[in-house]
């Protein structure tokens, strides 16, 4: 059986050169993009993650150190079978923050005033401490004498 001749469309040399140049530029761009080391790409700032355990009506640890200007995830995990609260008004005055978990946040005119954490619950507060200082906090539930401190360096 004889091969049937294939009729290809005529492409003018100038048009062919233009297509070839476009493909080469695309390939050069791709190679250039792949050659950028990943360390040169912008990255998310590292989040400082701290967990405070609540057990036996005690904040553990009783002293936490954070760093001013560093994005922070501060978690409070309640292992007790009763409600607890975290009241740290001065630390959260006038700053932007997010509260996650199954705690119940309460806000006042100046920002977060307290978070109530259910039994076996978790409250996560994401924020960036604005300035250095010592910030006491407590549980203000009736009969709970729980106190601790957050130090921002």
């Amino acid at each position: 059986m004889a091969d049937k001749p294939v009729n290809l469309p005529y492409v003018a040399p100038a048009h062919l050169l233009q297509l070839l140049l476009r493909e080469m530029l695309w390939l050069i761009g791709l190679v250039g993009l792949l050659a950028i080391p990943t360390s040169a790409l912008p990255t998310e700032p590292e989040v400082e993650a701290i967990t405070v355990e609540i057990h036996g009506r005690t904040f553990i640890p009783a002293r936490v150190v954070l760093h001013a200007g560093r994005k922070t995830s501060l978690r409070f995990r309640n292992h007790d079978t009763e409600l607890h609260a975290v009241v740290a008004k001065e630390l959260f005055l006038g700053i932007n923050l997010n509260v996650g978990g199954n705690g119940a946040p309460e806000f006042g005119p100046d920002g977060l005033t307290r978070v109530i954490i259910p039994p076996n619950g978790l409250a996560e507060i994401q924020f960036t401490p604005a300035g250095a200082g010592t910030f006491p906090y407590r549980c203000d539930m009736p009969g709970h004498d729980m106190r601790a401190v957050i130090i921002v360096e």
Side-chain angles (χ1 to χ4, degrees), residues 42-126:
T43 60
E44 277 289 313
E46 189 175 324
V47 175
E48 184 170 25
I50 303 290
T51 300
V52 175
E53 307 291 340
I54 302 171
H55 188 67
R57 289 190 177 182
T58 304
F59 292 116
I60 304 167
R63 180 180 179 271
V64 171
V65 177
L66 305 178
H67 299 91
R70 188 165 176 195
K71 194 171 183 177
T72 302
S73 174
L74 182 58
R75 296 182 198 101
F76 293 90
R77 188 176 307 276
N78 181 4
H79 296 281
D80 288 344
T81 58
E82 59 188 336
L83 291 173
H84 288 297
V86 174
V87 181
K89 293 179 189 175
E90 293 80 22
L91 179 62
F92 303 122
L93 280 178
I95 63 170
N96 293 325
L97 52 79
N98 290 313
V99 181
N102 60 352
E106 296 179 6
F107 292 90
D110 294 325
L112 182 67
T113 56
R114 79 178 192 161
V115 179
I116 299 173
I117 307 168
N120 299 308
L122 171 75
E124 180 177 14
I125 305 166
Q126 296 176 344

Side-chain angles (χ1 to χ4, degrees), residues 7-71:
N7 291 330
L8 296 174
Y10 174 76
V11 179
H15 184 65
L16 187 58
L17 184 60
Q18 186 181 23
L19 286 173
L20 185 61
L21 279 173
R22 185 173 58 188
E23 292 300 315
M24 284 178 51
L25 285 174
W26 182 85
L27 186 61
I28 290 170
L30 180 62
V31 168
L33 184 64
L34 293 175
I36 297 173
T38 56
S39 61
L41 297 175
T43 60
E44 277 289 313
E46 189 175 324
V47 175
E48 184 170 25
I50 303 290
T51 300
V52 175
E53 307 291 340
I54 302 171
H55 188 67
R57 289 190 177 182
T58 304
F59 292 116
I60 304 167
R63 180 180 179 271
V64 171
V65 177
L66 305 178
H67 299 91
R70 188 165 176 195
K71 194 171 183 177

